[in-house]
Amino acid sequence: MAYKSILTILTETDEVAPVLDAAVSVAEAAEAHLDVLCIGIDRTQTGYYFAGATALMHEETLAQAQSEATRIEKAARERLARTGLSWGVEALVAQSASVTTIVARRARYADLVVLPKPYGENLPADAPVVVEAAMFQGHAPVIVLADGAPPVLTPEKVVIAWNDSPEAMEAVRRAMPLLVSAKLVSICTVAPERHASETSDPGAELSQMLSRHGIHVEVNLQPQTLPRVSEVIARHVEDIDADLLVMGAYGHSRFREAILGGATRNMLEHAKIPVFMAH
């Protein structure tokens, strides 16, 4: 299946240029329609108002969120007007608590969602919510961009972080258009003895499946010689000079319906190339 409906979501003015340029690049390569959702977030929840807060203060924070949404929308429309893409832009204001519902609804009807890295300095605490909502509630595959690394819709070298889990398999299936176009796909399993399956050769069944699509596949079994699995995968990505990482997204319930698990979060925090994830 080709990606024909691509979505990106902008919540900060500083994101417009780098994130939208990346989304445009992806959409152009796929000859796809690009939807841009611009959200001004009012982060003052009623339950958090301090003593003495007034309706006027609430109106002021709402006006600030509206102004932010308008600025983002204006910049997005100006950028998209210079392209030959089919595109649409929507701007709205939401409180933090409603962002998950809004993002999930839009992501549900997208073939692919392109989003900025959710962790880093000066990012709001709710930055990961958009990524989580798109994957866990919207059930959409997501490409999370890396700082300074261009998005790649026709990658030459792809690493699959493979542990024989349903989440990893879902990511592989959703990434198939990218895998087929790659010159090399490396199936990387860390500490393979932990992921025993019916076959004694980890990755062999996946390799066979991908090979039938004409994909050049290598199976790479890595001992866990570093404290974190994500660090071993990152080292392999660097060793083969890969330009895309495909992995399952793992979450667990906390205060929200689902949040990114530690392994997923660690990978995203330190990724130097775009990460394709699905759940």
Side-chain angles (χ1 to χ4, degrees), residues 184-266:
L184 171 67
V185 172
S186 176
I187 300 171
C188 179
T189 299
V190 179
E193 67 278 1
R194 298 181 188 173
H195 310 295
S197 63
E198 294 181 0
T199 175
S200 59
D201 190 1
E205 292 169 314
L206 178 61
S207 174
Q208 184 180 63
M209 170 188 161
L210 296 179
S211 295
R212 288 170 179 159
H213 287 271
I215 300 170
H216 178 203
V217 185
E218 292 181 356
V219 176
N220 193 284
L221 307 180
Q222 294 277 346
Q224 188 169 346
T225 54
L226 295 171
R228 295 178 181 269
V229 170
S230 59
E231 293 173 334
V232 179
I233 295 171
R235 183 180 61 188
H236 180 61
V237 164
E238 186 174 351
D239 285 346
I240 72 167
D241 194 25
D243 43 22
L244 182 69
L245 172 65
V246 173
M247 63 178 290
Y250 306 95
H252 47 258
S253 296
R254 282 290 189 271
F255 299 106
R256 292 192 294 272
E257 183 175 342
I259 65 172
L260 294 174
T264 309
R265 173 176 177 141
N266 189 264

Side-chain angles (χ1 to χ4, degrees), residues 40-235:
I41 302 179
D42 174 8
R43 296 184 172 91
T44 56
Q45 301 295 313
T46 303
Y48 301 131
Y49 286 159
F50 53 85
T54 65
L56 182 61
M57 293 177 183
H58 175 62
E59 290 178 4
E60 182 178 346
T61 59
L62 195 61
Q64 290 173 349
Q66 180 63 64
S67 178
E68 181 76 355
T70 300
R71 286 195 298 269
I72 296 171
E73 178 188 20
K74 182 176 183 292
R77 289 185 180 277
E78 289 176 351
R79 171 67 180 90
L80 291 169
R82 300 194 296 269
T83 74
L85 285 173
S86 166
W87 55 270
V89 175
E90 179 182 5
L92 51 82
V93 172
Q95 284 196 316
S96 295
S98 62
V99 170
T100 292
T101 301
I102 291 168
V103 170
R105 175 73 179 177
R106 301 309 193 280
R108 194 173 301 146
Y109 299 99
D111 295 326
L112 181 65
V113 184
V114 179
L115 296 173
K117 180 184 279 190
Y119 304 106
E121 294 183 5
N122 303 319
L123 289 178
D126 54 21
V129 173
V130 174
V131 176
E132 295 164 10
M135 288 191 300
F136 295 127
Q137 285 81 42
H139 303 286
V142 172
I143 287 184
V144 177
L145 303 170
D147 296 335
V152 181
L153 203 68
T154 55
E156 292 194 358
K157 296 179 182 178
V158 180
V159 170
I160 297 173
W162 182 247
N163 61 0
D164 206 28
S165 68
E167 292 85 357
M169 190 70 247
E170 180 65 14
V172 169
R173 293 188 190 280
R174 303 296 284 272
M176 194 63 73
L178 305 176
L179 303 179
V180 169
S181 68
K183 293 182 178 178
L184 171 67
V185 172
S186 176
I187 300 171
C188 179
T189 299
V190 179
E193 67 278 1
R194 298 181 188 173
H195 310 295
S197 63
E198 294 181 0
T199 175
S200 59
D201 190 1
E205 292 169 314
L206 178 61
S207 174
Q208 184 180 63
M209 170 188 161
L210 296 179
S211 295
R212 288 170 179 159
H213 287 271
I215 300 170
H216 178 203
V217 185
E218 292 181 356
V219 176
N220 193 284
L221 307 180
Q222 294 277 346
Q224 188 169 346
T225 54
L226 295 171
R228 295 178 181 269
V229 170
S230 59
E231 293 173 334
V232 179
I233 295 171
R235 183 180 61 188

